[in-house]
Amino acid sequence: MRRRDRVELKTPEQVVAMRRAGLVVADALAAVRAAARPGLTTADLDAVAGEVMAAAGATPSFLGYHGFPAVLCVSVNEQVVHGIPGPLALRPGDVLSVDCGAIVDGWHGDAAFSLVLPAEDGAAPDAGDAHLVAATEAAMWAGLAAVAVGERLGDVGAAVEDAVDASPGPDGHPLEVVEGYTGHGIGTQMHQAPEVLNHRTRSRGLGTGAGMRLRPGLCLAVEPMVVRGDAETDVLDDDWTVVTRDGSRAAHWEHTVALTERGPWVLTAHDGGEAALGALGVAVAPLA
Ligand code: MG
Ligand code: MG
């Protein structure tokens, strides 16, 4: 195995250190969620996250990463991931996806959420968009639960895919997983081995149970990207922003999870994943 593909297994002490980065990400995303409203620009949201990072003494993972120019990735509507914050003003009913990474003492945390901005005049949000966001979050939690109860890495992608397949939109139209982008190992680098697919590894004829054994010390970012229409994507001329080819709306959820001898701990969730994983019958095992 090539050195760069080696999986970095963490000690309990290192997982506790990663929790500090995870909580900065959780704080930054909570601040962005609280601030998000029609009329603000995506650059305004970036500034909110930047202030939280600075106050915490954390370093943004994304800023300068292969030249990326901002603290957050902010992706709106047909933008799937990697949107660059800028002058784009948020509008009522937009689907907003915010991705954030932070470094504390050399350890990374990485998480993302999507939401639907309130519609004009207090009208209910588009039911299909609301469903998209909820179903993508549920698929992420299904994947995180599989990190805890699965045996192989392939169980994670299978759980995400099955959750998406089981949740067609209110119009009956199935949701689709974007397959060109994946989750990843995380630790002393934001992106490490292994790749964490959001679907079964069909191309190699593998399915549930395939891939490396899930074992204590693994730290993974699980991050499904899901669309209401066709899953084909393009990258805009800014060389970053990933959009759906058909213009359909997309959502993106992500958490960083550590698997320890005692169980899973969702490092980028304030409650460590206790509520959402508990609802799936999985007990979390905080180390601090
Ligand atoms: Mg991310
Ligand atoms: Mg990530």
Side-chain angles (χ1 to χ4, degrees):
M1 187 177 281
R2 289 164 297 173
R3 183 174 178 83
R4 67 188 176 86
D5 290 334
R6 191 176 293 167
V7 172
E8 181 184 84
L9 295 175
K10 283 74 172 177
T11 66
E13 293 74 21
Q14 290 170 333
V15 170
V16 169
M18 284 184 67
R19 172 63 163 169
R20 291 196 285 274
L23 285 177
V24 173
V25 171
D27 288 345
L29 288 178
V32 170
R33 179 186 276 280
R37 62 179 183 275
L40 286 190
T41 68
T42 55
D44 292 332
L45 300 182
D46 197 65
V48 168
E51 286 171 17
V52 172
M53 295 245 189
T59 303
S61 301
F62 300 174
L63 187 63
Y65 180 83
H66 295 286
F68 190 79
V71 172
L72 298 176
C73 294
V74 183
S75 307
V76 180
N77 295 336
E78 79 284 0
Q79 298 175 352
V80 183
V81 286
H82 304 166
I84 300 174
L88 177 69
L90 300 173
R91 294 165 301 179
D94 277 349
V95 174
L96 173 68
S97 298
V98 181
D99 193 348
C100 181
I103 311 167
V104 175
D105 298 331
W107 296 97
H108 288 255
D110 188 6
F113 71 87
S114 292
L115 59 73
V116 186
L117 286 171
E120 228 140 10
D121 303 328
D126 180 89
D129 288 343
H131 170 80
L132 169 71
V133 167
T136 306
E137 182 184 12
M140 173 194 66
W141 286 110
L144 292 164
V147 172
V149 303
E151 294 186 357
R152 298 276 180 176
L153 188 61
D155 297 341
V156 179
V160 171
E161 180 179 325
D162 288 349
V164 172
D165 284 351
S167 194
D171 56 359
H173 194 282
L175 301 178
E176 298 286 344
V177 170
V178 173
E179 298 197 355
Y181 301 87
T182 71
H184 48 90
I186 180 168
T188 56
Q189 303 289 329
M190 177 167 56
H191 294 140
Q192 300 181 321
E195 257 187 354
V196 183
L197 300 180
N198 291 309
H199 54 86
R200 287 185 171 78
T201 48
R202 285 180 291 272
S203 60
R204 281 173 286 170
L206 303 173
T208 305
M212 68 173 288
R213 191 169 292 283
L214 295 166
R215 56 185 190 266
L218 265 182
C219 291
L220 302 173
V222 176
E223 52 174 317
M225 290 140 269
V226 179
V227 298
R228 292 184 64 183
D230 192 273
E232 290 296 314
T233 58
D234 291 307
V235 178
L236 296 185
D237 287 342
D238 63 18
D239 287 336
W240 283 103
T241 312
V242 178
V243 297
T244 56
R245 187 166 293 170
D246 66 3
S248 65
R249 291 185 163 190
H252 176 215
W253 277 84
E254 176 177 26
H255 271 307
T256 296
V257 63
L259 186 60
T260 76
E261 296 281 358
R262 297 173 50 230
W265 190 19
V266 182
L267 303 178
T268 46
H270 282 120
D271 74 346
E274 183 175 7
L277 287 181
L280 297 174
V282 175
V284 296
L287 296 184

